[in-house]
């Protein structure tokens, strides 16, 4: 029997993709927002494609903020953008 692959929805393009293809943004129980590349950090998570176009859509629509129910610091958006650029160049 084939194992089921977990899928999540990107907050930018709204497409469902495999969980491991996406970047997880997590709000910890203490309320801090950070990036979770392993998908194991405790807290409420939202997912986004490693694509700058999806990130721009998510920022414009405030989809990550609504999903995590907390304002997202500008540093998190900047770090997401840096990670996406690093991924393109790798």
């Amino acid at each position: 029997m084939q194992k089921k692959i977990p899928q999540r929805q990107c907050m930018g393009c709204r497409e469902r993709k495999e969980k491991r293809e996406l970047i997880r943004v997590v709000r910890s129980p203490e309320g801090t927002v950070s990036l979770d590349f392993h998908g194991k950090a405790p807290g409420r998570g939202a997912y986004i494609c490693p694509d700058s176009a999806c990130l721009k859509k998510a920022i414009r629509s405030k989809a990550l903020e609504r999903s995590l129910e907390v304002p997202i610091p500008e540093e998190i958006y900047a770090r997401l953008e840096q990670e996406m650029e690093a991924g393109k160049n790798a």
Side-chain angles (χ1 to χ4, degrees):
M1 189 168 156
Q2 192 173 12
K3 190 175 180 181
K4 187 176 178 188
I5 299 170
Q7 300 229 320
R8 300 292 184 266
Q9 186 177 42
C10 170
M11 293 286 102
C13 64
R14 311 298 289 174
E15 287 183 30
R16 293 187 71 77
K17 297 185 179 183
E18 288 184 28
K19 182 179 173 182
R20 66 176 171 252
E21 292 177 16
L22 302 170
I23 298 172
R24 183 173 185 240
V25 182
V26 64
R27 183 195 73 209
S28 71
E30 294 81 39
T32 58
V33 177
S34 61
L35 300 178
D36 176 20
F37 295 100
H38 302 292
K40 303 281 185 195
R44 182 173 183 83
Y47 295 83
I48 190 152
C49 294
D51 179 22
S52 57
C54 285
L55 178 61
K56 286 182 177 116
K57 285 180 190 175
I59 292 170
R60 201 170 338 128
S61 66
K62 297 190 186 293
L64 286 172
E65 292 183 6
R66 278 197 315 273
S67 180
L68 297 176
E69 301 168 347
V70 69
I72 307 279
E74 195 59 43
E75 304 90 59
I76 298 296
Y77 288 132
R79 182 153 176 232
L80 266 170
E81 241 174 303
Q82 288 173 350
E83 294 294 333
M84 289 176 188
E85 288 302 317
K88 282 182 188 175
N89 298 333

